[in-house]
């Protein structure tokens, strides 16, 4: 689309390869044009994507998408804290079977969300713990969501292991929270939140503190359309083709080039999720 914030010089050559590590591509807002969304992403260098599973049914759909686009799409399988109350013994068993599949590269989205509290907090904590156990059993990374629940979140992670392989997806927290996550061994997922001049400024200031080998990029589409896109779609739907725009914003905040952030974040995503080359 008409986002000209990437330098023309980089557009002339093949765009640098990027991986969108958090895209809700099974969301029904993509039902009409999903293949076009994938093609637009590919055209701007987003060669691989990790499709977020946030419910059992959504994780099944995410896995189905990976089969239509092998080697290009991968999935997570998990139950978001909003849906934690749905995770009973039967759905946990079904989730475990799904998470075992090779195209499922992480357990999650799981975690705690005390901002919305769509599921009772006790149910959230329990569903989070079950999914951490599952990830440990299967030796897969975790795809983590946390909002307004930092203390309980860190306590539960520490209770299960001293260090984790996984990503704190859509990180928007403080320097102190960032320090805790890094200490736990987690990678940090940065979305278009950083492109918001009202609420993303503190996040931009933290960018130099994230080691390059732990910095991942994600759109979290269809949510979080970057606010500083020069031309926004009428639908306000976010999509993986906007990932280069986020990458440019992160690169600027770190004082590095788009090529350098693309190289390091792609290598980091490939290592964490054990993705094959595109
Ligand atoms: Zn999330």
């Amino acid at each position: 689309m008409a986002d000209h914030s990437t330098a023309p010089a980089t557009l002339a050559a093949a765009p640098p390869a990027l991986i969108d590590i958090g895209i809700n591509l099974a969301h029904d807002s993509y039902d009409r044009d999903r293949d076009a969304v994938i093609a637009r992403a590919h055209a701007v260098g987003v060669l691989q994507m990790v499709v977020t599973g946030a419910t059992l049914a959504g994780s099944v759909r995410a896995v189905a998408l990976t089969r239509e686009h092998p080697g290009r799409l991968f999935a997570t399988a998990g139950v978001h804290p909003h849906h934690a109350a749905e995770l009973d013994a039967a759905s946990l068993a079904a989730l475990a079977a799904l998470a075992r599949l090779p195209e499922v590269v992480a357990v999650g989205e799981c975690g705690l969300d005390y901002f919305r509290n769509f599921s009772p907090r006790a149910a959230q904590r329990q569903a989070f713990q079950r999914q951490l156990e599952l990830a440990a059993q299967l030796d897969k990374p975790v795809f983590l969501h946390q909002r307004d629940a930092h203390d309980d979140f860190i306590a539960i992670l520490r209770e299960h292991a001293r260090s984790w392989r996984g990503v704190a997806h859509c990180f928007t927290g403080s320097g102190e929270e960032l320090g805790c996550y890094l200490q736990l061994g987690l990678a940090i997922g940065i979305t278009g939140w950083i492109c918001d001049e009202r609420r993303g400024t503190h996040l931009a200031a933290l960018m130099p503190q994230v080691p390059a080998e732990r910095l991942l990029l994600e759109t979290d589409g269809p949510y979080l359309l970057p606010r500083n896109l020069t031309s926004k779609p009428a639908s306000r739907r976010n999509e993986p083709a906007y990932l280069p725009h986020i990458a440019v914003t992160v690169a600027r905040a770190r004082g590095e080039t788009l090529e350098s952030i693309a190289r390091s974040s792609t290598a980091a995503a490939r290592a964490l999720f054990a993705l094959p080359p595109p």
Side-chain angles (χ1 to χ4, degrees):
M1 304 280 286
D3 167 24
H4 298 297
S5 63
T6 44
T10 64
L11 291 177
L18 291 167
I19 299 176
D20 190 344
I21 65 106
I23 167 69
N24 302 278
L25 199 60
H27 191 276
D28 56 16
S29 70
Y30 298 118
D31 281 353
R32 278 180 303 107
D33 62 345
R34 191 169 284 107
D35 284 347
V37 166
I38 294 169
R40 279 198 291 274
H42 204 256
V44 296
V46 183
L47 303 184
Q48 292 172 311
M49 309 174 207
V50 179
V51 182
T52 311
T55 60
L56 182 57
S59 302
V60 169
R61 283 198 297 277
V63 168
L65 284 175
T66 69
R67 292 184 177 164
E68 289 171 33
H69 304 271
R72 194 179 283 191
L73 301 186
F74 303 87
T76 73
V79 173
H80 189 283
H82 289 348
H83 301 277
E86 297 165 18
L87 191 65
D88 56 14
S91 55
L92 184 63
L95 188 66
L98 211 55
R100 212 165 266 129
L101 298 170
E103 51 273 59
V104 173
V105 296
V107 172
E109 176 169 7
C110 62
L112 301 175
D113 192 314
Y114 291 177
F115 178 68
R116 302 225 188 256
N117 290 306
F118 286 158
S119 277
R121 291 181 179 187
Q124 290 190 36
R125 287 190 289 267
Q126 204 178 47
F128 185 29
Q129 286 172 321
R130 293 297 88 80
Q131 292 178 84
L132 291 179
E133 288 160 10
L134 181 60
Q137 258 169 41
L138 300 176
D139 194 27
K140 292 215 173 168
V142 282
F143 189 94
L144 300 167
H145 171 104
Q146 187 275 120
R147 193 157 181 201
D148 284 3
H150 179 73
D151 291 350
D152 280 6
F153 181 77
I154 291 292
I156 289 172
L157 282 166
R158 285 197 182 129
E159 212 172 89
H160 285 260
R162 289 173 56 130
S163 86
W164 283 93
R165 206 153 51 87
V167 55
H169 124 89
C170 192
F171 176 78
T172 60
S174 65
E176 198 190 336
E177 290 181 6
L178 177 63
C180 282
Y181 291 160
L182 291 176
Q183 200 187 26
L184 272 166
L186 295 171
I188 307 297
I190 301 296
T191 62
W193 189 284
I194 197 169
C195 303
D196 186 328
E197 74 286 359
R198 303 163 309 169
R199 55 183 193 175
T201 315
H202 84 281
L203 194 54
L206 289 175
M207 282 305 95
Q209 295 177 33
V210 184
E213 67 278 10
R214 297 231 233 137
L215 201 161
L216 306 179
L217 301 172
E218 51 173 330
T219 56
D220 203 26
Y223 315 111
L224 297 178
L225 182 71
R227 261 181 66 87
N228 60 356
L229 282 178
T230 44
S231 164
K232 295 196 187 78
S235 66
R236 299 275 153 170
R237 183 188 68 174
N238 194 7
E239 61 172 75
Y242 298 131
L243 194 66
H245 182 81
I246 296 169
V248 165
T249 310
V250 172
R252 201 175 290 142
R254 289 169 65 83
E256 57 179 292
T257 62
L258 170 63
E259 287 72 16
S260 136
I261 194 79
R263 210 178 308 119
S264 66
S265 66
T266 296
R270 200 155 282 150
L272 178 62
F273 299 114
L275 306 183

